[in-house]
Amino acid sequence: MAEKVIRVDDIDGSEGADVAKRDFEVLGRTFTIDLSDDNFKRLNEMLDALAPFIENAAEVKPARKGRKSGAAKIKGYTNGDVRAWALRSNIEVSERGKISDEVYAAFIKAHPDAKPDA
């Protein structure tokens, strides 16, 4: 028993002996697609046309979602210092997480040597 494999061009749906699995690279990533000789030629022409734009462009990297540092918004004191002062001063402050701008403002007012980060 014999099997016949028919390759179909992924762009125009054509079938033919010239349709083959074609690999191509864009920005360091390799892709594969079934294309006829004509469509593979078109693909290479497009990649050649894009090359000068890619070579002269700067990559924009997505913003990173990293952990925020535990550094205080003021120099010379830590967030732990601000929290301890707030608790001693009967000012509501969370044990963890963001410290409100109002708490920072009150701390700076009570500590003239505290300098806000620029």
Side-chain angles (χ1 to χ4, degrees), residues 21-87:
K21 189 168 291 300
R22 316 289 181 134
D23 293 345
F24 64 99
E25 189 175 312
V26 176
L27 299 174
R29 295 176 57 193
T30 302
F31 299 87
T32 190
I33 189 169
D34 291 339
L35 293 176
S36 66
D37 289 341
D38 287 343
N39 280 335
F40 189 56
K41 180 181 174 192
R42 285 180 49 216
L43 171 63
N44 284 316
E45 289 169 354
M46 286 185 221
L47 293 172
D48 289 344
L50 279 176
F53 295 95
I54 293 170
E55 289 169 7
N56 290 292
E59 182 177 357
V60 177
K61 297 192 180 206
R64 292 179 28 182
K65 290 184 179 180
R67 291 183 65 183
K68 292 188 178 182
S69 73
K73 291 183 179 181
I74 48 180
K75 292 182 182 172
Y77 293 92
T78 66
N79 282 341
D81 296 332
V82 175
R83 282 191 170 87
W85 170 83
L87 292 172

